[in-house]
Amino acid sequence: ADTTVLLLLVVFAFVNVSVLVLRGDDVGHDHFRAPTGAPALGAVVCVALVTQHEGATWLRAAALMTLGVVVWGIDRAIDHRAGTQTGRTS
């Protein structure tokens, strides 16, 4: 549970930072805009909570992320050999 919470907090921090970065893009139509303070506060709170986790939780999270990258790499290699490139727009 601690590892899941840690990984989710990292994801939420990235999402909040992404909201701030994407605010600068001109999309040419009306869309929802969150007040600047909300995602900024969300990112700060997530980072503050992430720092409260123990080293063992960080190691488990790093192991899971490494496993995910390895599986992704294997999938890319299989797709490359088969001549299919899923998720690409060309």
Coordinates of all heavy atoms in Angstrom, one line a residue:
A1 N 0.8 -1.2 0.0 CA 0.0 0.0 0.0 C 0.9 1.3 0.0 O 0.6 2.2 -0.7 CB -0.9 0.0 1.2
D2 N 1.9 1.2 0.8 CA 2.8 2.4 0.8 C 3.5 2.7 -0.5 O 3.6 3.8 -0.9 CB 3.9 2.2 1.9 CG 3.5 2.4 3.3 OD1 2.4 3.0 3.5 OD2 4.2 1.9 4.2
T3 N 3.8 1.6 -1.2 CA 4.4 1.8 -2.5 C 3.4 2.4 -3.5 O 3.8 3.3 -4.3 CB 5.0 0.4 -3.1 OG1 5.9 -0.1 -2.1 CG2 5.8 0.6 -4.3
T4 N 2.2 1.9 -3.5 CA 1.2 2.4 -4.4 C 0.9 3.9 -4.1 O 0.8 4.7 -5.0 CB -0.1 1.6 -4.2 OG1 0.1 0.3 -4.5 CG2 -1.2 2.1 -5.1
V5 N 0.9 4.2 -2.8 CA 0.6 5.7 -2.5 C 1.8 6.5 -3.0 O 1.6 7.6 -3.5 CB 0.5 5.8 -0.9 CG1 0.5 7.2 -0.5 CG2 -0.8 5.1 -0.5
L6 N 3.0 6.0 -2.8 CA 4.2 6.8 -3.3 C 4.1 7.0 -4.8 O 4.3 8.2 -5.2 CB 5.5 6.1 -2.9 CG 6.7 6.7 -3.5 CD1 7.0 8.0 -2.8 CD2 7.9 5.7 -3.2
L7 N 3.9 6.0 -5.5 CA 3.8 6.1 -7.0 C 2.6 7.0 -7.4 O 2.8 7.8 -8.3 CB 3.7 4.7 -7.6 CG 5.0 3.8 -7.5 CD1 4.7 2.4 -8.0 CD2 6.1 4.4 -8.2
L8 N 1.5 6.9 -6.8 CA 0.4 7.8 -7.1 C 0.7 9.2 -6.8 O 0.3 10.1 -7.6 CB -0.9 7.3 -6.4 CG -1.6 6.1 -6.9 CD1 -2.7 5.6 -6.0 CD2 -2.1 6.3 -8.3
L9 N 1.3 9.5 -5.7 CA 1.7 10.9 -5.4 C 2.7 11.4 -6.4 O 2.6 12.6 -6.8 CB 2.3 10.9 -4.0 CG 1.4 10.8 -2.8 CD1 2.1 10.7 -1.5 CD2 0.5 12.1 -2.8
V10 N 3.6 10.6 -6.9 CA 4.5 11.1 -8.0 C 3.7 11.4 -9.2 O 3.9 12.4 -9.9 CB 5.6 10.0 -8.2 CG1 6.4 10.3 -9.5 CG2 6.5 9.9 -7.0
V11 N 2.8 10.5 -9.6 CA 2.0 10.7 -10.8 C 1.1 12.0 -10.6 O 1.1 12.9 -11.5 CB 1.0 9.5 -11.0 CG1 0.0 9.9 -12.1 CG2 1.9 8.3 -11.5
F12 N 0.5 12.2 -9.4 CA -0.3 13.4 -9.2 C 0.6 14.7 -9.3 O 0.1 15.7 -9.8 CB -1.0 13.3 -7.9 CG -2.1 12.3 -7.8 CD1 -2.5 11.7 -6.6 CD2 -2.7 11.8 -9.0 CE1 -3.4 10.7 -6.6 CE2 -3.7 10.8 -8.9 CZ -4.1 10.3 -7.7
A13 N 1.8 14.6 -8.8 CA 2.7 15.8 -8.8 C 3.0 16.1 -10.3 O 2.9 17.3 -10.7 CB 4.0 15.5 -8.1
F14 N 3.3 15.1 -11.1 CA 3.5 15.3 -12.5 C 2.3 15.9 -13.2 O 2.4 16.8 -14.1 CB 4.0 14.0 -13.2 CG 5.5 13.8 -13.1 CD1 5.9 12.6 -12.4 CD2 6.4 14.6 -13.6 CE1 7.2 12.4 -12.2 CE2 7.8 14.4 -13.4 CZ 8.2 13.3 -12.7
V15 N 1.1 15.4 -12.9 CA -0.1 15.9 -13.5 C -0.3 17.4 -13.2 O -0.7 18.2 -14.1 CB -1.3 15.0 -13.1 CG1 -2.6 15.7 -13.5 CG2 -1.2 13.6 -13.7
N16 N -0.1 17.7 -11.9 CA -0.3 19.1 -11.5 C 0.7 20.0 -12.2 O 0.3 21.1 -12.7 CB -0.2 19.2 -10.0 CG -1.5 18.8 -9.3 OD1 -2.5 19.4 -9.6 ND2 -1.4 17.9 -8.4
V17 N 1.9 19.6 -12.4 CA 2.9 20.4 -13.1 C 2.6 20.5 -14.5 O 2.7 21.5 -15.2 CB 4.3 19.8 -12.9 CG1 5.3 20.5 -13.8 CG2 4.8 20.0 -11.4
S18 N 2.1 19.4 -15.1 CA 1.6 19.4 -16.5 C 0.5 20.4 -16.8 O 0.5 21.1 -17.8 CB 1.2 18.0 -17.0 OG 2.3 17.1 -16.9
V19 N -0.4 20.5 -15.8 CA -1.5 21.4 -15.9 C -1.0 22.8 -16.0 O -1.4 23.6 -16.8 CB -2.5 21.3 -14.7 CG1 -3.5 22.5 -14.7 CG2 -3.3 20.0 -14.8
L20 N 0.0 23.1 -15.2 CA 0.6 24.5 -15.2 C 1.3 24.7 -16.6 O 1.2 25.8 -17.1 CB 1.6 24.6 -14.1 CG 1.0 24.7 -12.7 CD1 2.0 24.6 -11.6 CD2 0.1 25.9 -12.5
V21 N 2.1 23.7 -17.1 CA 2.8 23.9 -18.3 C 1.8 24.0 -19.5 O 2.0 24.9 -20.4 CB 3.7 22.7 -18.6 CG1 4.3 22.7 -19.9 CG2 4.8 22.7 -17.5
L22 N 0.8 23.2 -19.5 CA -0.2 23.3 -20.6 C -1.1 24.5 -20.7 O -1.7 24.8 -21.7 CB -1.1 22.0 -20.6 CG -0.3 20.7 -20.9 CD1 -1.2 19.5 -20.8 CD2 0.2 20.8 -22.4
R23 N -1.1 25.3 -19.6 CA -1.9 26.5 -19.5 C -1.4 27.5 -20.6 O -2.1 28.3 -21.1 CB -1.8 27.2 -18.2 CG -2.6 26.5 -17.1 CD -2.3 27.1 -15.8 NE -2.7 28.5 -15.8 CZ -4.0 28.9 -15.4 NH1 -4.9 28.0 -15.0 NH2 -4.3 30.2 -15.4
G24 N -0.1 27.4 -21.0 CA 0.5 28.3 -21.9 C 0.1 28.0 -23.4 O 0.3 28.8 -24.2
D25 N -0.4 26.8 -23.6 CA -0.8 26.4 -25.0 C -2.1 27.1 -25.4 O -3.0 27.1 -24.7 CB -0.9 24.9 -25.1 CG 0.4 24.2 -25.0 OD1 1.4 24.9 -25.0 OD2 0.4 22.9 -25.0
D26 N -2.1 27.7 -26.7 CA -3.3 28.2 -27.2 C -4.0 27.1 -28.0 O -3.4 26.6 -29.0 CB -2.9 29.4 -28.1 CG -4.1 30.1 -28.7 OD1 -5.2 30.0 -28.0 OD2 -4.0 30.7 -29.8
V27 N -5.2 26.7 -27.6 CA -5.9 25.6 -28.2 C -7.0 26.1 -29.2 O -7.5 25.3 -30.0 CB -6.5 24.7 -27.2 CG1 -5.4 24.0 -26.4 CG2 -7.4 25.4 -26.3
G28 N -7.3 27.4 -29.2 CA -8.2 27.9 -30.2 C -9.7 27.7 -29.9 O -10.5 27.9 -30.7
H29 N -10.0 27.2 -28.7 CA -11.4 27.0 -28.4 C -11.5 27.2 -26.8 O -10.6 27.1 -26.1 CB -11.9 25.7 -28.8 CG -11.2 24.5 -28.3 ND1 -11.4 23.9 -27.1 CD2 -10.2 23.8 -28.9 CE1 -10.6 22.9 -26.9 NE2 -9.8 22.8 -28.0
D30 N -12.8 27.3 -26.4 CA -13.0 27.4 -25.0 C -12.8 26.1 -24.3 O -13.1 25.0 -24.8 CB -14.5 27.9 -24.7 CG -14.8 29.3 -25.1 OD1 -13.8 30.1 -25.2 OD2 -15.9 29.6 -25.3
H31 N -12.2 26.2 -23.1 CA -11.9 25.0 -22.3 C -11.8 25.4 -20.9 O -11.7 26.5 -20.5 CB -10.6 24.3 -22.8 CG -9.4 25.1 -22.7 ND1 -9.1 26.1 -23.6 CD2 -8.4 25.1 -21.8 CE1 -8.0 26.7 -23.2 NE2 -7.5 26.1 -22.1
F32 N -11.8 24.3 -20.0 CA -11.7 24.6 -18.6 C -10.3 25.0 -18.2 O -9.4 24.5 -18.7 CB -12.1 23.3 -17.8 CG -11.9 23.4 -16.4 CD1 -12.8 24.0 -15.6 CD2 -10.8 22.8 -15.7 CE1 -12.7 24.2 -14.2 CE2 -10.6 22.9 -14.4 CZ -11.5 23.6 -13.6
R33 N -10.2 26.0 -17.4 CA -8.9 26.5 -16.8 C -9.0 26.5 -15.3 O -9.9 27.2 -14.8 CB -8.6 27.8 -17.4 CG -8.2 27.9 -18.8 CD -7.9 29.2 -19.3 NE -6.7 29.7 -18.7 CZ -5.5 29.7 -19.3 NH1 -5.4 29.2 -20.5 NH2 -4.4 30.2 -18.7
A34 N -8.2 25.8 -14.7 CA -8.1 25.8 -13.2 C -7.3 27.0 -12.8 O -6.4 27.5 -13.5 CB -7.4 24.5 -12.7
P35 N -7.7 27.6 -11.6 CA -6.9 28.7 -11.1 C -5.5 28.2 -10.9 O -5.2 27.1 -10.5 CB -7.6 29.0 -9.8 CG -8.9 28.3 -9.8 CD -8.8 27.2 -10.8
T36 N -4.5 29.1 -11.2 CA -3.1 28.8 -11.1 C -2.7 28.2 -9.7 O -1.9 27.3 -9.7 CB -2.3 30.0 -11.4 OG1 -2.7 30.5 -12.7 CG2 -0.8 29.7 -11.5
G37 N -3.3 28.7 -8.7 CA -2.9 28.3 -7.4 C -3.3 26.8 -7.1 O -2.5 26.2 -6.3
A38 N -4.3 26.3 -7.6 CA -4.8 25.0 -7.3 C -3.7 23.9 -7.8 O -3.3 23.1 -6.9 CB -6.1 24.7 -7.9
P39 N -3.3 23.9 -9.0 CA -2.3 22.9 -9.4 C -1.0 23.1 -8.8 O -0.2 22.2 -8.5 CB -2.3 22.9 -10.9 CG -2.9 24.2 -11.3 CD -3.8 24.6 -10.2
A40 N -0.6 24.4 -8.5 CA 0.7 24.7 -7.9 C 0.7 24.1 -6.5 O 1.6 23.5 -6.0 CB 0.9 26.2 -7.9
L41 N -0.4 24.4 -5.7 CA -0.5 23.9 -4.4 C -0.6 22.3 -4.4 O 0.0 21.7 -3.5 CB -1.8 24.4 -3.7 CG -2.1 24.0 -2.3 CD1 -1.0 24.4 -1.4 CD2 -3.4 24.5 -1.8
G42 N -1.3 21.7 -5.4 CA -1.4 20.3 -5.5 C 0.0 19.7 -5.7 O 0.4 18.7 -5.0
A43 N 0.8 20.3 -6.5 CA 2.2 19.8 -6.8 C 3.0 19.9 -5.5 O 3.7 18.9 -5.2 CB 2.8 20.5 -7.9
V44 N 3.0 21.0 -4.8 CA 3.8 21.2 -3.6 C 3.3 20.2 -2.5 O 4.2 19.6 -1.9 CB 3.6 22.6 -3.1 CG1 4.2 22.8 -1.7 CG2 4.3 23.6 -4.1
V45 N 2.1 20.0 -2.4 CA 1.6 19.0 -1.3 C 2.0 17.6 -1.7 O 2.4 16.9 -0.8 CB 0.0 19.1 -1.2 CG1 -0.5 18.0 -0.3 CG2 -0.3 20.5 -0.6
C46 N 1.9 17.2 -3.0 CA 2.3 15.9 -3.4 C 3.8 15.7 -3.1 O 4.2 14.6 -2.5 CB 2.0 15.6 -4.8 SG 0.3 15.4 -5.2
V47 N 4.6 16.6 -3.4 CA 6.1 16.5 -3.2 C 6.3 16.4 -1.7 O 7.2 15.6 -1.2 CB 6.8 17.7 -3.8 CG1 8.3 17.7 -3.4 CG2 6.8 17.6 -5.4
A48 N 5.6 17.2 -0.9 CA 5.8 17.2 0.6 C 5.4 15.8 1.1 O 6.1 15.3 2.0 CB 5.0 18.3 1.2
L49 N 4.4 15.2 0.6 CA 3.9 13.9 1.1 C 4.9 12.8 0.6 O 5.1 11.9 1.4 CB 2.5 13.6 0.7 CG 1.4 14.5 1.3 CD1 0.1 14.2 0.7 CD2 1.4 14.2 2.8
V50 N 5.4 13.0 -0.6 CA 6.4 12.0 -1.1 C 7.6 11.9 -0.2 O 8.2 10.8 0.0 CB 6.7 12.3 -2.6 CG1 8.0 11.6 -3.0 CG2 5.6 11.9 -3.5
T51 N 8.1 13.0 0.3 CA 9.3 13.0 1.1 C 9.1 12.3 2.5 O 10.1 12.1 3.2 CB 9.8 14.5 1.4 OG1 8.8 15.2 2.1 CG2 10.1 15.2 0.1
Q52 N 7.9 12.0 2.8 CA 7.6 11.3 4.1 C 7.8 9.8 4.1 O 7.7 9.2 5.1 CB 6.2 11.7 4.6 CG 5.9 13.2 4.7 CD 6.8 13.8 5.7 OE1 7.0 13.4 6.8 NE2 7.4 15.0 5.3
H53 N 8.0 9.3 2.9 CA 8.1 7.8 2.8 C 9.5 7.3 3.1 O 10.5 8.0 3.0 CB 7.7 7.4 1.4 CG 6.3 7.5 1.1 ND1 5.4 6.5 1.5 CD2 5.5 8.5 0.6 CE1 4.1 6.8 1.1 NE2 4.2 8.1 0.6
E54 N 9.5 6.0 3.6 CA 10.8 5.4 4.1 C 11.6 4.9 2.9 O 11.1 4.8 1.8 CB 10.5 4.2 5.0 CG 9.8 4.6 6.3 CD 9.4 3.4 7.1 OE1 9.6 2.3 6.6 OE2 8.9 3.6 8.2
G55 N 12.9 4.6 3.1 CA 13.7 4.2 2.0 C 13.3 2.9 1.4 O 13.4 2.7 0.2
A56 N 12.8 2.0 2.2 CA 12.3 0.7 1.7 C 11.2 0.9 0.7 O 11.1 0.1 -0.3 CB 11.9 -0.2 2.8
T57 N 10.3 1.8 0.9 CA 9.2 2.1 0.0 C 9.8 2.6 -1.3 O 9.3 2.2 -2.4 CB 8.2 3.1 0.6 OG1 7.8 2.6 1.9 CG2 7.0 3.3 -0.3
W58 N 10.8 3.5 -1.2 CA 11.4 4.0 -2.4 C 12.1 2.9 -3.2 O 12.0 2.9 -4.5 CB 12.4 5.1 -2.1 CG 11.8 6.4 -1.8 CD1 11.5 6.9 -0.6 CD2 11.4 7.4 -2.7 NE1 10.9 8.2 -0.7 CE2 10.9 8.5 -2.0 CE3 11.5 7.4 -4.1 CZ2 10.4 9.6 -2.7 CZ3 11.0 8.6 -4.8 CH2 10.4 9.6 -4.0
L59 N 12.7 2.0 -2.5 CA 13.4 0.8 -3.2 C 12.3 0.0 -4.0 O 12.6 -0.4 -5.1 CB 14.2 0.0 -2.3 CG 15.5 0.6 -1.8 CD1 16.1 -0.2 -0.7 CD2 16.4 0.9 -2.9
R60 N 11.2 -0.3 -3.3 CA 10.2 -1.1 -4.0 C 9.6 -0.4 -5.2 O 9.4 -1.0 -6.2 CB 9.0 -1.4 -3.0 CG 9.4 -2.6 -2.0 CD 8.2 -3.0 -1.2 NE 7.5 -1.9 -0.5 CZ 7.8 -1.6 0.8 NH1 8.7 -2.3 1.4 NH2 7.1 -0.7 1.3
A61 N 9.4 0.9 -5.0 CA 8.9 1.7 -6.1 C 9.9 1.8 -7.3 O 9.5 1.6 -8.5 CB 8.6 3.2 -5.7
A62 N 11.1 1.9 -7.0 CA 12.2 1.9 -8.0 C 12.2 0.5 -8.7 O 12.4 0.5 -10.0 CB 13.5 2.2 -7.4
A63 N 12.1 -0.5 -8.0 CA 12.1 -1.9 -8.6 C 10.9 -2.1 -9.5 O 11.0 -2.6 -10.6 CB 12.1 -2.9 -7.5
L64 N 9.7 -1.6 -9.1 CA 8.5 -1.7 -9.9 C 8.7 -0.9 -11.2 O 8.3 -1.3 -12.3 CB 7.3 -1.3 -9.2 CG 6.8 -2.3 -8.1 CD1 5.7 -1.7 -7.3 CD2 6.4 -3.6 -8.8
M65 N 9.2 0.3 -11.1 CA 9.4 1.2 -12.2 C 10.5 0.6 -13.2 O 10.3 0.6 -14.4 CB 9.9 2.6 -11.8 CG 8.8 3.4 -11.1 SD 7.4 3.7 -12.1 CE 8.1 4.7 -13.4
T66 N 11.5 0.0 -12.6 CA 12.5 -0.7 -13.5 C 11.9 -1.9 -14.2 O 12.1 -2.1 -15.4 CB 13.7 -1.2 -12.6 OG1 14.2 0.0 -11.9 CG2 14.8 -1.9 -13.4
L67 N 11.1 -2.6 -13.5 CA 10.4 -3.8 -14.1 C 9.5 -3.3 -15.3 O 9.4 -3.9 -16.3 CB 9.6 -4.5 -13.1 CG 8.7 -5.7 -13.6 CD1 9.6 -6.8 -14.2 CD2 7.9 -6.3 -12.5
G68 N 8.8 -2.2 -15.0 CA 7.9 -1.6 -16.1 C 8.7 -1.2 -17.3 O 8.3 -1.4 -18.4
V69 N 9.9 -0.6 -17.1 CA 10.7 -0.1 -18.2 C 11.2 -1.3 -19.0 O 11.3 -1.3 -20.2 CB 11.8 0.8 -17.7 CG1 12.9 1.0 -18.8 CG2 11.3 2.1 -17.2
V70 N 11.6 -2.4 -18.3 CA 12.1 -3.6 -18.9 C 11.0 -4.2 -19.8 O 11.2 -4.6 -20.9 CB 12.6 -4.6 -17.9 CG1 12.9 -6.0 -18.5 CG2 13.9 -4.1 -17.3
V71 N 9.8 -4.3 -19.2 CA 8.6 -4.9 -20.0 C 8.3 -4.0 -21.2 O 8.1 -4.6 -22.3 CB 7.4 -5.1 -19.1 CG1 6.2 -5.4 -19.8 CG2 7.7 -6.1 -18.0
W72 N 8.3 -2.7 -21.0 CA 8.1 -1.8 -22.1 C 9.2 -2.0 -23.2 O 8.8 -2.0 -24.4 CB 8.1 -0.4 -21.6 CG 8.1 0.7 -22.7 CD1 7.0 1.0 -23.4 CD2 9.2 1.4 -23.3 NE1 7.3 2.0 -24.3 CE2 8.6 2.2 -24.3 CE3 10.5 1.4 -23.0 CZ2 9.4 3.1 -25.0 CZ3 11.3 2.3 -23.7 CH2 10.8 3.1 -24.7
G73 N 10.4 -2.1 -22.8 CA 11.5 -2.4 -23.8 C 11.3 -3.7 -24.5 O 11.5 -3.7 -25.8
I74 N 10.9 -4.7 -23.9 CA 10.7 -6.0 -24.5 C 9.5 -5.9 -25.5 O 9.6 -6.3 -26.6 CB 10.4 -7.1 -23.5 CG1 11.7 -7.4 -22.7 CG2 9.8 -8.3 -24.1 CD1 11.4 -8.3 -21.4
D75 N 8.5 -5.2 -25.1 CA 7.3 -5.0 -26.0 C 7.8 -4.2 -27.2 O 7.4 -4.5 -28.4 CB 6.2 -4.2 -25.3 CG 5.0 -4.0 -26.1 OD1 4.4 -5.0 -26.6 OD2 4.6 -2.8 -26.3
R76 N 8.6 -3.1 -27.1 CA 9.1 -2.4 -28.2 C 9.9 -3.2 -29.1 O 9.8 -3.1 -30.3 CB 9.9 -1.2 -27.7 CG 9.2 0.0 -27.1 CD 8.6 0.9 -28.1 NE 9.6 1.4 -29.1 CZ 9.8 2.6 -29.3 NH1 9.3 3.6 -28.6 NH2 10.7 2.9 -30.3
A77 N 10.7 -4.1 -28.6 CA 11.6 -5.0 -29.4 C 10.7 -5.9 -30.2 O 11.0 -6.2 -31.4 CB 12.6 -5.7 -28.5
I78 N 9.7 -6.5 -29.5 CA 8.8 -7.4 -30.2 C 8.1 -6.7 -31.3 O 8.0 -7.2 -32.5 CB 7.8 -8.1 -29.2 CG1 8.6 -9.0 -28.3 CG2 6.7 -8.8 -30.0 CD1 7.8 -9.6 -27.1
D79 N 7.6 -5.5 -31.1 CA 6.8 -4.8 -32.1 C 7.8 -4.4 -33.3 O 7.4 -4.4 -34.4 CB 6.3 -3.5 -31.5 CG 5.0 -3.7 -30.7 OD1 4.5 -4.8 -30.7 OD2 4.6 -2.8 -30.0
H80 N 9.0 -4.1 -32.9 CA 10.0 -3.7 -34.0 C 10.3 -4.9 -34.9 O 10.3 -4.8 -36.1 CB 11.3 -3.2 -33.4 CG 12.3 -2.7 -34.3 ND1 12.1 -1.6 -35.1 CD2 13.5 -3.3 -34.7 CE1 13.1 -1.5 -35.9 NE2 14.0 -2.5 -35.7
R81 N 10.4 -6.1 -34.3 CA 10.7 -7.3 -35.1 C 9.5 -7.7 -35.9 O 9.7 -8.2 -37.0 CB 11.1 -8.4 -34.2 CG 12.5 -8.4 -33.8 CD 12.8 -9.7 -33.2 NE 14.2 -9.6 -32.8 CZ 15.0 -10.6 -32.5 NH1 14.4 -11.8 -32.4 NH2 16.2 -10.5 -32.1
A82 N 8.3 -7.5 -35.4 CA 7.1 -7.9 -36.1 C 6.7 -6.8 -37.2 O 5.9 -7.1 -38.0 CB 5.9 -8.1 -35.1
G83 N 7.4 -5.7 -37.1 CA 7.1 -4.6 -38.1 C 5.9 -3.8 -37.7 O 5.4 -3.0 -38.5
T84 N 5.4 -4.0 -36.5 CA 4.3 -3.1 -36.1 C 4.8 -2.1 -35.1 O 5.7 -2.5 -34.3 CB 3.1 -4.0 -35.5 OG1 3.7 -4.7 -34.3 CG2 2.6 -4.9 -36.4
Q85 N 4.3 -1.0 -35.1 CA 4.7 0.1 -34.1 C 3.4 0.6 -33.5 O 2.8 1.6 -34.0 CB 5.5 1.1 -34.8 CG 6.8 0.6 -35.3 CD 7.6 1.7 -36.0 OE1 7.2 2.8 -36.1 NE2 8.8 1.3 -36.3
T86 N 2.9 0.0 -32.5 CA 1.7 0.4 -31.8 C 1.9 1.8 -31.1 O 3.0 2.1 -30.6 CB 1.2 -0.6 -30.8 OG1 2.3 -0.8 -29.8 CG2 0.9 -1.9 -31.4
G87 N 0.9 2.6 -31.2 CA 0.9 3.8 -30.5 C 1.6 5.0 -31.2 O 1.8 6.0 -30.7
R88 N 2.0 4.7 -32.5 CA 2.7 5.7 -33.3 C 1.7 6.3 -34.3 O 1.0 5.5 -34.9 CB 3.9 5.1 -33.9 CG 4.9 4.6 -32.9 CD 6.2 4.6 -33.4 NE 7.1 4.1 -32.4 CZ 8.2 4.6 -32.1 NH1 8.6 5.7 -32.8 NH2 9.0 4.1 -31.2
T89 N 1.8 7.5 -34.6 CA 1.1 8.2 -35.6 C 2.0 8.6 -36.7 O 2.8 9.5 -36.6 CB 0.3 9.4 -35.1 OG1 1.2 10.3 -34.5 CG2 -0.8 8.9 -34.1
S90 N 1.9 7.9 -37.9 CA 2.8 8.2 -39.0 C 2.0 8.0 -40.3 O 1.3 7.0 -40.5 CB 4.0 7.4 -39.0 OG 4.8 7.5 -37.9

